[in-house]
């Protein structure tokens, strides 16, 4: 029987087979096994398993096995209910990594070896391999009107929690609430499992099927930490001017919370939240009009004769773009429900809304205490009914587009599950809202002009990413600990790194990972900058006006406001995937990524604080904050991943350049170098395949601009001319360009002209000026 290609995107290599009769993962009486190895034992009799009809990757082509790489798991309950917790088997002595919700809005990494080690609200579990057992992923799904997660049961059982969110939506039988998939590579495994989910559910698109917004390639400035709720036009203008004058012009300006017309229920509509400027005080407020508040509405343009509006947000946006030519994008913030407290009911010009009292699910009640949740639960949310959600977004977004806004940051996303009792449950309410949001984004913001935030849950990933392509993958950048721990200035930064790196394993299949803003003057600013530079996502800061570390910023930002972005998104290296880089005192966080012609490994000492199961919060763990040692090498990079992988087959030698030590080492593919880092310190290693010119003994490898954190990102083109014994490299940026060469070149040329160059420690050193027309200079090495 020949396979039938499914109707998914061209990049989603999933094949539907009608002839699968078995799965690599089998349920034999009371045990889930693979290769005769036990995965889960004592599986209750009410648990069901069926082979997946999907095959993925290269092995999807015929001829194919009748054995599926995965299976769908369900269960039968005695009674119909809106909330089920069902054991699916015991997990004993198999290391796992998982992603769970530690806050209502945010997820993070967690490890263990037994079912009891799991956390509530777990979104994905990956089981480590053994000599006879491959990696296995457990992926909770959406089934009908129900959404699933995993949690610890009694005596090392893994329980599946399946809930509709509404007592009016009940079911007793489930057949595909969990998907299990086996594979030999954990990164490909997760990707393949989510490809299967994409075709099984048909409710979202994979990242590889979409295009991120242009802001990912621009340096940005966000107003949040600079102003908080006191943001106003003159301050924004001064902030942009300061960055431009300092040589780091932003391409993105993100106007965060503080621009909207809001008020408390007991405020007069005319107050527009004028006195609500303290942190948290805005959260009970509700939206009272789609137009901007008085601060931006009363802006008057000094340009009296030019075209366009002379007053208001439209005049402000136009003036900012006219005054600062680097600013290509202006985004503004808003919450999924309009504002933190939704819309105020009975306000002329707004769709109808009803204040709903949020109800936390049992799983959410075990998450970390959160000011936003407390405020929202205590004051309710003015919810626009789902049939009018399109009207709300149309009103808001059509106005924003009319005043020149290019995109939006949609925050407070994972709120609907608390409000869904009378609206068909969490799945139906989410579908309606995400469909309305996606349609509006297509109509007003080019289909992808969105940053998703506070969205870390599988409802959003499976139902909200049909159009949305860019999203935050970590909790907020906290300058200090909001709980008051002075050490939080440091250990919370390590938490942030770990959130982003590990969450990307899961989320990076749906959305392009955004590691959030940071401040360039923070004590850990360089630590943050190094991670952002190789994250593959956008780079933006929230510096206060006039307070910048321009030396640091210029190691990420080019003179035209663009950045050297990696071609993929950063992920943890295999050797720390199943380890604890926050509070075991020994594991170093290592992440990998690659550019067009080079790979990069980032090493970070994040030890010193994180999740406490006992206290149900993040807390300091100073006893683990010490020097950490590890090793790194070319094999830490997953060269075959991504849409444009670098072919290193047959490469015998790699040149490795250490950014902070400024040294070059040659390495075989399997070689490792030792690294030791003080707390909250880092090292970045550019890894470049060495090539020998034909009919020559000359070995060569480009390194990049060593003044830039993502050194290898500067290499835009690479051409070997064996006949002329020369190498031509296109370099984007300005500064000190280095390349490995086994012998000194006869000459070097930049843009066709001979230049002086240095040769030290087998590195050719040239200085590159900024090429104004394209930003790219061509360097030629002649041997």
């Amino acid at each position: 029987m020949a396979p039938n290609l499914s109707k998914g995107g061209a990049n989603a290599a999933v094949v539907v087979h009608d002839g699968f009769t078995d799965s690599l993962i089998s349920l034999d009486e009371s045990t889930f096994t693979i290769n005769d190895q036990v995965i889960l034992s004592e599986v209750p009799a009410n648990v069901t398993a069926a082979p997946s009809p999907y095959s993925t990757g290269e092995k999807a082509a015929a001829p194919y096995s009748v054995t599926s790489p995965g299976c769908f798991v369900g269960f039968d309950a005695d009674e119909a209910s809106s909330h089920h917790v069902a054991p699916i088997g015991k997990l004993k002595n198999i290391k796992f990594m998982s992603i769970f919700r530690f806050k209502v809005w945010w997820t993070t990494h967690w490890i263990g070896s037994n079912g009891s080690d799991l956390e509530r609200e777990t979104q994905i579990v990956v089981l480590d391999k053994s000599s006879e057992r491959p990696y296995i992923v457990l992926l909770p799904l959406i089934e009908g009107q129900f959404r699933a997660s995993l949690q610890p049961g009694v005596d090392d059982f893994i329980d599946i929690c399946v809930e509709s969110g509404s007592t009016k939506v009940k079911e007793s039988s489930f057949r595909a609430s969990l998907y299990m998939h086996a594979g030999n590579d954990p990164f490909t495994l997760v990707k393949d499992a989510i490809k299967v989910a994409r075709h099984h559910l048909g409710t979202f698109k994979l990242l590889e099927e979409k295009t991120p917004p242009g802001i990912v390639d621009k340096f940005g400035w966000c107003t949040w930490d600079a102003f908080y709720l006191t943001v106003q036009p003159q301050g924004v203008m001064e902030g942009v001017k300061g960055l431009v004058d300092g040589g780091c012009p932003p391409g993105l300006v993100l106007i965060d919370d503080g621009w909207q017309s809001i008020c408390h229920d007991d405020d007069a509509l005319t107050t527009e939240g004028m006195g609500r400027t303290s942190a948290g005080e805005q959260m009970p407020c509700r939206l009272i009009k789609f137009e901007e508040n008085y601060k931006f509405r009363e802006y008057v343009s000094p340009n009296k004769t030019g075209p366009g509006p002379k007053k208001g947000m439209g005049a402000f946006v136009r003036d900012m773009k006219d005054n600062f030519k680097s600013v290509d994008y202006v985004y503004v913030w808003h919450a999924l429900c309009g504002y933190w407290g939704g819309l105020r009911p009975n306000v002329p010009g707004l769709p109808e809304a009803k204040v709903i009292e949020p109800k936390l699910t049992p799983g959410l009640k075990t998450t970390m205490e959160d000011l936003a949740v407390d405020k929202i639960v205590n004051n309710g949310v003015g919810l626009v009914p789902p049939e009018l959600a399109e009207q709300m977004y149309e009103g808001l977004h059509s106005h924003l587009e009319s005043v020149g806004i290019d995109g939006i940051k949609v925050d407070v996303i994972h709120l609907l599950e608390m409000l869904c009792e009378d609206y068909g449950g969490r799945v139906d309410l989410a579908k309606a809202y995400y469909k309305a949001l996606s349609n509006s984004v297509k109509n007003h913001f080019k289909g992808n002009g969105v940053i998703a935030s506070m969205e870390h849950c599988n409802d959003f990933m499976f139902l909200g990413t049909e159009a949305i392509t860019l999203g935050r993958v970590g909790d907020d950048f906290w300058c200090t600990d909001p709980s008051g721990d002075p050490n939080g200035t440091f250990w919370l930064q390590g938490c942030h790194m770990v959130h982003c790196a590990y969450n990307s394993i899961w989320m990076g299949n749906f959305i392009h990972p955004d590691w959030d803003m940071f401040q360039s003057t923070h004590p850990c600013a360089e630590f943050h900058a190094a991670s952002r530079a190789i994250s593959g996502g956008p780079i933006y800061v929230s510096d206060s006006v006039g307070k910048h570390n321009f030396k640091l910023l210029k190691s990420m930002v080019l003179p035209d406001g663009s950045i050297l972005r990696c071609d993929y998104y950063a992920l943890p290296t295999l050797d720390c995937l199943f380890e604890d880089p926050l509070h075991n005192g020994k594991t170093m966080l290592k992440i990998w990524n690659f550019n067009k012609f080079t790979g990069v490994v980032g090493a970070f000492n994040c030890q010193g604080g994180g999740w406490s199961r006992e206290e149900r919060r993040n807390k300091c763990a100073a006893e683990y904050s010490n020097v950490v040692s590890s090793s790194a090498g070319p094999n830490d990079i997953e060269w075959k991943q991504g849409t444009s992988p670098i072919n290193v087959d047959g490469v015998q030698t790699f040149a490795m350049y250490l950014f902070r030590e400024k040294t070059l080492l040659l390495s075989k593919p399997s070689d490792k170098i030792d690294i030791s880092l003080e707390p909250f310190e880092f090292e970045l290693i550019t890894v470049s395949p060495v090539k020998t010119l034909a009919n020559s003994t000359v070995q060569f490898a480009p390194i990049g601009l060593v003044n830039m954190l993502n050194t290898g990102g500067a290499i835009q083109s690479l051409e070997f001319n064996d006949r002329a014994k020369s190498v031509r490299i296109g370099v984007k940026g300005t500064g000190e360009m280095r390349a490995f060469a086994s012998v000194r070149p006869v000459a070097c040329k930049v843009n066709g002209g001979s230049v002086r160059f240095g040769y030290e420690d087998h590195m050719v050193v040239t200085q590159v000026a900024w090429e104004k027309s394209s930003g790219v200079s061509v360097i030629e090495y002649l041997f």
Side-chain angles (χ1 to χ4, degrees):
M1 182 184 301
N4 295 313
L5 291 175
S6 69
K7 296 181 180 180
N11 291 324
V14 174
V15 176
V16 181
H17 293 301
D18 297 324
F20 279 143
T21 59
D22 203 355
S23 168
L24 292 174
I25 302 169
S26 62
L27 176 55
D28 184 12
E29 295 183 354
S30 64
T31 307
F32 275 108
T33 62
I34 187 167
N35 297 342
D36 296 324
Q37 301 294 303
V38 174
I39 307 168
L40 301 176
S41 61
E42 299 184 37
V43 178
N46 68 326
V47 173
T48 65
S52 163
Y54 307 100
S55 185
T56 58
E58 296 175 358
K59 295 182 180 179
Y64 61 91
S65 167
V66 294
T67 302
S68 168
C71 68
F72 289 100
V73 178
F75 65 92
D76 293 308
D78 293 335
E79 296 181 359
S81 175
S82 62
H83 182 94
H84 295 276
V85 176
I88 59 169
K90 285 186 176 181
L91 178 68
K92 300 287 287 186
N93 301 317
I94 298 177
K95 289 178 70 174
F96 70 78
M97 65 126 324
S98 65
I99 303 295
F100 81 100
R101 290 166 82 184
F102 72 98
K103 288 185 180 179
V104 167
W105 330 103
W106 307 114
T107 58
T108 193
H109 172 245
W110 192 250
I111 62 166
S113 299
N114 300 299
S116 59
D117 296 330
L118 278 174
E119 279 288 357
R120 298 283 285 267
E121 278 291 326
T122 291
Q123 311 293 296
I124 187 171
V125 177
V126 180
L127 305 181
D128 199 2
K129 71 174 184 179
S130 69
S131 59
E132 298 178 307
R133 182 190 66 244
Y135 297 101
I136 298 161
V137 64
L138 283 67
L139 183 68
L141 298 171
I142 303 287
E143 183 172 1
Q145 292 176 282
F146 286 73
R147 165 267 186 185
S149 63
L150 297 175
Q151 61 188 48
V154 298
D155 195 22
D156 287 325
F157 272 99
I158 293 180
D159 288 353
I160 187 168
C161 175
V162 180
E163 53 197 341
S164 71
S166 172
T167 57
K168 302 172 185 178
V169 179
K170 300 180 180 182
E171 184 56 78
S172 62
S173 183
F174 302 90
R175 287 298 175 266
S177 295
L178 176 72
Y179 180 61
M180 298 172 66
H181 195 99
N184 293 317
D185 176 278
F187 304 103
T188 302
L189 168 72
V190 173
K191 192 172 293 291
D192 285 348
I194 293 173
K195 284 181 179 180
V196 168
R198 184 259 188 263
H199 287 261
H200 173 69
L201 295 173
T203 54
F204 67 96
K205 286 186 178 179
L206 301 165
L207 173 61
E208 63 190 35
E209 300 176 88
K210 300 176 289 189
T211 302
I215 65 171
V216 298
D217 291 308
K218 300 292 184 177
F219 170 59
W221 178 57
C222 176
T223 63
W224 180 240
D225 289 313
F227 298 101
Y228 297 114
L229 298 166
T230 65
V231 62
Q232 36 77 25
Q234 188 57 39
V236 177
M237 287 287 196
E238 291 173 359
V240 176
K241 183 177 186 301
L243 288 165
V244 171
D245 290 347
C248 295
L252 163 70
V253 175
L254 171 54
I255 302 172
D256 214 294
D257 195 359
W259 68 271
Q260 289 176 287
S261 299
I262 60 168
C263 66
H264 283 192
D265 289 342
D266 54 357
D267 292 339
L269 291 176
T270 55
T271 62
E272 294 190 9
M274 290 182 185
R276 310 297 184 182
T277 59
S278 299
E281 196 175 12
Q282 86 281 20
M283 290 171 180
C285 288
R286 310 193 203 284
L287 195 69
I288 57 173
K289 64 176 68 171
F290 291 135
E291 293 76 24
E292 60 274 12
N293 62 29
Y294 67 97
K295 293 181 292 184
F296 289 87
R297 195 170 60 245
E298 295 175 1
Y299 171 84
V300 177
S301 173
N303 184 358
K304 306 298 183 184
T305 59
K310 303 298 183 289
K311 188 177 181 181
M313 181 71 94
F316 167 68
V317 172
R318 183 208 58 213
D319 286 354
M320 182 161 55
K321 289 186 174 181
D322 284 349
N323 293 340
F324 309 108
K325 299 302 183 183
S326 69
V327 178
D328 292 324
Y329 303 95
V330 178
Y331 276 38
V332 297
W333 176 101
H334 74 74
L336 180 74
C337 293
Y339 199 68
W340 291 93
L343 270 60
R344 184 159 162 172
N346 305 314
V347 174
L350 293 184
E352 69 174 82
K354 178 182 178 182
V355 176
I356 307 292
E357 179 186 351
K359 291 189 169 79
L360 295 177
T361 66
L364 292 186
K365 288 178 181 178
T366 67
T367 58
M368 181 174 168
E369 185 175 341
D370 185 282
L371 175 66
V373 175
D374 293 344
K375 294 281 188 180
I376 289 169
V377 169
N378 290 337
N379 294 277
V381 176
L383 184 71
V384 172
E387 64 272 17
L388 297 181
E390 287 209 19
Q391 183 180 330
M392 176 182 69
Y393 291 130
E394 175 61 26
L396 180 57
H397 295 164
S398 63
H399 171 69
L400 291 173
E401 183 186 28
S402 74
V403 296
I405 297 299
D406 302 289
I408 50 177
K409 174 184 175 181
V410 181
D411 215 351
V412 204
I413 285 181
H414 236 279
L415 187 63
L416 299 175
E417 66 190 290
M418 306 181 212
L419 310 172
C420 60
E421 170 65 24
D422 295 323
Y423 298 99
R426 62 191 295 164
V427 173
D428 282 6
L429 184 58
K431 281 183 176 179
Y433 259 76
Y434 295 147
K435 179 181 178 181
L437 177 62
S438 296
N439 288 341
S440 187
V441 169
K442 290 175 184 176
N443 290 336
H444 300 293
F445 303 122
K446 299 182 179 179
N448 63 0
V450 186
I451 304 171
S453 182
M454 299 173 74
E455 83 286 18
H456 292 190
C457 189
N458 52 6
D459 300 60
F460 173 78
M461 299 300 160
F462 290 137
L463 302 174
T465 57
E466 189 268 335
I468 294 176
T469 310
L470 177 65
R472 288 267 306 280
V473 289
D475 191 359
D476 293 346
F477 160 71
W478 291 100
C479 307
T480 57
D481 183 6
S483 301
D485 179 2
N487 290 324
T489 301
F490 297 94
W491 65 262
L492 273 170
Q493 317 317 317
C495 287
H496 187 96
M497 302 282 187
V498 169
H499 298 331
C500 295
Y502 288 88
N503 283 337
S504 295
I505 297 171
W506 170 50
M507 296 181 197
N509 294 282
F510 304 90
I511 52 176
H512 196 92
D514 172 357
W515 285 45
D516 198 19
M517 55 201 167
F518 69 101
Q519 288 189 310
S520 70
T521 56
H522 189 273
C524 294
E526 195 173 4
F527 190 64
H528 277 286
S531 71
R532 304 307 192 278
I534 67 168
S535 71
I539 297 174
Y540 53 120
V541 295
S542 54
D543 288 357
S544 297
V545 176
K547 297 181 179 179
H548 312 288
N549 180 344
F550 281 114
K551 181 180 178 182
L552 178 61
L553 291 177
K554 288 179 180 179
S555 67
M556 299 179 289
V557 185
L558 299 180
D560 63 351
S562 64
I563 61 174
L564 300 178
R565 187 169 65 87
C566 287
D567 278 15
Y568 197 50
Y569 52 88
L571 292 171
T573 58
L574 183 58
D575 60 348
C576 63
L577 204 58
F578 298 92
E579 303 298 334
D580 177 5
L582 285 177
H583 33 33
N584 70 3
K586 61 182 181 180
T587 299
M588 186 181 294
L589 172 66
K590 293 191 301 176
I591 58 178
W592 60 270
N593 208 335
F594 38 73
N595 297 294
K596 289 181 174 63
F597 301 98
T598 61
V600 60
V601 177
F604 301 85
N605 183 350
C606 300
Q607 294 283 340
W611 180 249
S612 168
R613 297 195 80 180
E614 296 72 28
E615 299 187 32
R616 311 307 300 170
R617 66 183 181 95
N618 285 330
K619 59 176 289 190
C620 181
E623 65 272 24
Y624 298 119
S625 186
N626 50 44
V627 175
V628 172
S629 298
S630 186
S631 60
N635 283 347
D636 280 326
I637 299 167
E638 302 293 329
W639 297 99
K640 295 183 179 180
Q641 293 293 324
T643 55
S644 301
I646 298 174
N647 185 0
V648 296
D649 292 344
V651 175
Q652 300 297 313
T653 306
F654 292 85
M656 299 202 302
Y657 181 82
L658 281 65
F659 177 83
R660 302 198 82 178
E661 289 193 9
K662 301 195 180 303
T663 57
L664 178 79
L665 300 168
L666 296 181
S667 169
K668 295 179 181 178
S670 59
D671 285 351
K672 298 277 189 178
I673 60 171
D674 294 330
I675 302 173
S676 290
L677 296 174
E678 295 284 343
F680 313 110
E681 292 292 337
F682 74 93
E683 182 61 272
L684 299 179
I685 307 169
T686 298
V687 184
S688 184
V690 174
K691 179 177 179 178
T692 302
L693 272 67
N695 303 315
S696 168
T697 60
V698 176
Q699 293 183 312
F700 187 92
I703 302 299
L705 290 175
V706 297
N707 51 296
M708 304 298 290
L709 284 162
N710 184 21
T711 298
I715 310 299
Q716 301 298 299
S717 62
L718 177 62
E719 178 185 346
F720 289 86
N721 187 330
D722 294 326
R723 289 182 66 184
K725 290 187 178 180
S726 66
V727 181
R728 289 168 59 95
I729 300 177
V731 178
K732 184 177 182 180
T734 177
E736 185 176 293
M737 170 66 191
R738 294 196 173 213
F740 162 73
S742 59
V743 298
R744 181 185 178 92
V746 174
C748 284
K749 295 181 179 181
V750 176
N751 296 328
S754 295
V755 296
R756 298 177 64 181
F757 65 93
Y759 185 69
E760 54 188 51
D761 299 325
H762 291 101
M763 285 184 284
V764 187
V765 182
T766 53
Q767 298 301 317
V768 180
W770 177 248
E771 176 59 47
K772 290 185 178 180
S773 60
S774 65
V776 178
S777 298
V778 177
I779 305 178
E780 187 171 10
Y781 303 85
L782 295 93
F783 294 95

